[in-house]
C-alpha cells in the first residue's frame, strides 16, 4: 500500500497530533551486523537533516516526504526548510523532564543495573520478587551500548564540556554514540551546531581522551 | 536514554502487612507495582535504586487500608525526540522495519529509509542498497534518530 516518497500515509492509523509515529532511520549509520559497517561522511550541515525533516510529529506524514525523500548526499537545495524542521528534532530533554532528573550514560546505567542484579541474587530468598522483563532488556541494551571501561573517567572528561554550555543530555548522547570525529558530534547532536566555533577545539581534546578510554572491540 | 529520577507514589497497604516488617512489605509492594511499568511522562521504570522517604500513613475512611506516600529513586528509560539510538532489528516488512532498544519498540517507516535502499522480500526480508553493500534484516544493528514517540498502555513505541 505504501509507495516510497509518496503521499502515502503511513501505517498505524492514528495520526493524532500527539501520537506521532515512531522513529527514523539514521540512514547514515546503518550497518548490517557490524556497528562500523559503513562510514558516513557528514559533508555539509544540511545533509543529515534531509531525511529527518519529514515527520514533524504532527501526524502529517504525507507532505514532507516529497522534500525529505532524497538520499543522504542530498542537495542542499532544501536547506532552509530543513533547518527549521530540524529544530523540532533537537534534543529537548531538559525542557521535557522535571529538574531533578539526571541523565545517565549507557555505561553508568549498565553499572547501576548490574549492581542491582547482583543484589537480587541475595534478595532472591523472597520468591515473589522477580526482576521485570524490561530490566533484562534494559540491562542488555545498556551493556551493548557501553564501550567504555570506566564510567567515572568518561564522566570526568565530558564534564569539562559543561563550562561551554553543553547540557547534560547532550553529553550523554555524545557518550552513548561514541563519535570518532568532531563533525560526527555536530551531526548527531544538532543542538550544538550553534556553538560550533566555541566547541570544536575542546571537543577534539575530549574525543581524544575518550578514544583512550574505549574498550577495544 | 537512561535517567535517574526521583518519583513519588501513594502506596496502599492492607493491615495484615503491618507490624515489624511494615517497611519491607511496603518496599516489596512498591517494587512489584512499579518495576517494569511504563508511563508516558517518565518512560519505563527499569529498576528501583533506593527509597528516599516514606511519609506518614493515612488511614482511609471506611476501610482499614493505609496510604503511604513513598518517594523513591529509580532508573528509567525513555526515548526522546531527537535522540540517537542504536537498535536491533526484529522484523522487516514492506512498510518498514521494527527494531528494539531495551524495552522500547521502534518502528521505522519505509518513507524514512533512504531511497537507495529497496525492500527485498523472501525468506529473510530485508532492505538493501542498490550496490548491495548495506543490508538491513532481522538482527541487524542500526543507528537511528527518534522523530516521535507514542505511549501505548503498557509500552512506549
Amino acid at each position: 500500500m505504501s509507495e516510497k516518497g509518496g503521499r502515502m500515509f503511513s501505517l498505524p492509523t492514528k495520526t493524532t497530533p500527539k501520537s506521532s509515529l515512531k522513529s527514523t532511520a539514521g540512514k547514515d549509520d546503518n550497518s548490517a551486523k557490524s556497528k562500523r559497517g559503513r562510514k558516513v561522511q557528514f559533508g555539509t550541515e544540511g545533509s543529515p537533516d534531509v531525511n529527518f525533516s519529514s515527520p514533524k510529529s504532527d501526524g502529517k506524514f504525507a507532505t514532507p516526504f516529497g522534500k525529505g525523500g532524497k538520499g543522504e548526499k542530498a542537495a542542499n537545495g532544501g536547506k532552509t526548510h530543513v533547518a527549521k524542521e530540524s529544530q523540532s528534532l533537537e534534543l529537548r530533554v531538559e525542557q521535557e523532564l522535571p529538574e531533578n532528573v539526571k541523565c545517565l550514560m549507557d555505561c553508568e546505567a549498565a553499572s547501576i543495573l548490574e549492581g542491582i542484579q547482583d543484589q537480587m541474587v541475595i534478595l532472591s530468598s523472597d520468591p515473589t520478587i522477580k526482576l521485570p522483563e524490561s530490566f533484562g532488556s534494559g540491562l542488555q541494551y545498556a551493556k551493548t551500548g557501553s564501550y567504555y571501561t570506566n564510567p567515572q573517567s568518561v564522566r570526568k572528561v565530558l564534564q569539562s564540556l559543561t563550562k561551554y554550555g553543553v547540557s547534560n543530555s547532550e553529553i550523554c548522547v555524545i557518550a552513548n554514540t561514541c563519535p570518532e570525529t568532531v563533525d560526527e558530534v555536530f551531526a548527531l547532536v544538532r543542538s550544538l551546531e550553534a556553538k560550533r566555533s566555541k566547541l570544536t577545539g575542546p571537543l577534539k581534546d575530549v574525543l581524544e581522551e575518550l578514544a583512550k578510554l574505549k574498550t577495544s572491540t | 536514554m537512561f535517567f535517574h529520577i526521583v518519583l513519588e507514589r501513594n502506596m496502599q497497604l492492607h493491615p495484615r502487612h503491618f507490624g515489624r516488617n511494615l517497611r519491607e512489605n511496603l518496599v516489596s509492594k512498591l517494587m512489584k507495582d512499579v518495576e517494569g511499568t511504563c508511563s508516558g511522562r517518565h518512560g519505563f521504570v527499569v529498576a528501583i535504586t533506593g527509597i528516599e522517604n516514606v511519609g506518614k500513613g493515612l488511614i482511609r475512611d471506611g476501610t482499614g487500608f493505609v496510604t503511604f506516600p513513598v518517594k523513591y529513586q529509580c532508573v528509567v528509560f525513555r526515548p526522546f525526540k531527537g535522540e540517537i539510538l542504536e537498535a536491533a532489528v526484529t522484523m522487516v516488512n514492506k512498510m518498514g522495519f521494527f527494531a528494539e532498544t531495551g524495552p522500547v519498540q521502534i518502528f521505522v517507516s519505509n518513507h524514512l529509509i533512504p531511497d537507495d535502499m529497496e525492500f527485498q522480500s523472501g525468506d529473510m526480508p530485508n532492505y538493501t542498497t542498490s550496490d548491495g553493500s548495506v543490508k538491513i534484516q532481522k538482527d541487524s544493528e542500526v543507528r537511528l534518530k527518534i522523530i516521535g514517540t507514542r505511549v501505548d498502555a503498557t509500552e512506549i513505541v
Side-chain angles (χ1 to χ4, degrees), chain A residues 112-123:
Chain A
I112 293 178
L113 293 177
E114 273 172 350
I116 293 179
Q117 197 181 40
D118 294 336
Q119 279 184 347
M120 279 317 284
V121 172
I122 304 169
L123 292 175

Side-chain angles (χ1 to χ4, degrees), chain B residues 19-84:
Chain B
R20 244 179 327 164
N21 297 330
L22 176 66
R23 199 188 155 95
E24 279 79 22
N25 287 330
L26 200 54
V27 171
S28 48
K29 185 158 198 284
L30 178 73
M31 286 175 61
K32 272 188 248 179
D33 278 359
V34 162
E35 273 186 356
T37 57
C38 136
S39 76
R41 186 120 195 274
H42 304 116
F44 273 91
V45 175
V46 177
I48 295 181
T49 49
I51 308 288
E52 212 169 78
N53 168 274
V54 179
K56 291 201 166 95
L58 209 54
I59 307 179
R60 322 269 311 166
D61 290 337
T63 70
F65 280 86
V66 174
T67 307
F68 291 91
V70 183
K71 270 206 187 127
Y72 57 99
Q73 297 163 348
C74 51
V75 174
V76 297
F77 183 77
R78 193 197 142 161
F80 264 94
K81 246 192 334 197
E83 187 183 344
I84 311 279

Side-chain angles (χ1 to χ4, degrees), chain A residues 166-181:
Chain A
V166 182
S167 72
N168 201 13
S169 57
E170 287 162 346
I171 287 181
C172 286
V173 174
I174 295 177
N176 291 344
T177 51
C178 217
E180 291 179 355
T181 63

Side-chain angles (χ1 to χ4, degrees), chain A residues 3-4 11 22-24 26-27 31-33 35 38 55 57 69 89 96 102-104 134 141 147 177, chain B residues 2-4 36 78 80-82 85-86 106-107 111 114-115 117 134-135 137 141 143-145 147-148:
Chain A
E3 299 148 20
K4 264 218 230 159
L11 343 78
K22 300 70 188 241
S23 28
T24 187
K27 30 55 170 260
S31 48
K33 291 202 181 114
K35 285 196 189 162
R38 182 161 117 172
S57 72
L89 293 173
E96 291 190 20
K102 178 171 187 253
C103 288
L104 291 176
S134 52
Y141 172 71
Y147 312 96
T177 51
Chain B
F2 287 99
F3 298 95
H4 201 216
R78 193 197 142 161
F80 264 94
K81 246 192 334 197
L85 283 179
E86 274 152 17
I106 300 181
F107 178 75
H111 295 290
D115 281 353
M117 299 195 90
V134 181
K135 224 184 206 182
Q137 60 190 20
E141 279 186 10
R143 183 181 270 186
L144 39 82
K145 182 169 182 168
I147 53 164

Side-chain angles (χ1 to χ4, degrees), chain A residues 91-132:
Chain A
L91 217 45
R92 288 219 207 94
V93 170
E94 263 81 17
Q95 288 135 23
E96 291 190 20
L97 280 178
E99 294 271 320
N100 59 346
V101 169
K102 178 171 187 253
C103 288
L104 291 176
M105 300 188 283
D106 286 350
C107 42
E108 291 171 332
S111 56
I112 293 178
L113 293 177
E114 273 172 350
I116 293 179
Q117 197 181 40
D118 294 336
Q119 279 184 347
M120 279 317 284
V121 172
I122 304 169
L123 292 175
S124 63
S125 51
D126 181 355
T128 54
I129 296 186
K130 259 190 323 173
L131 287 173

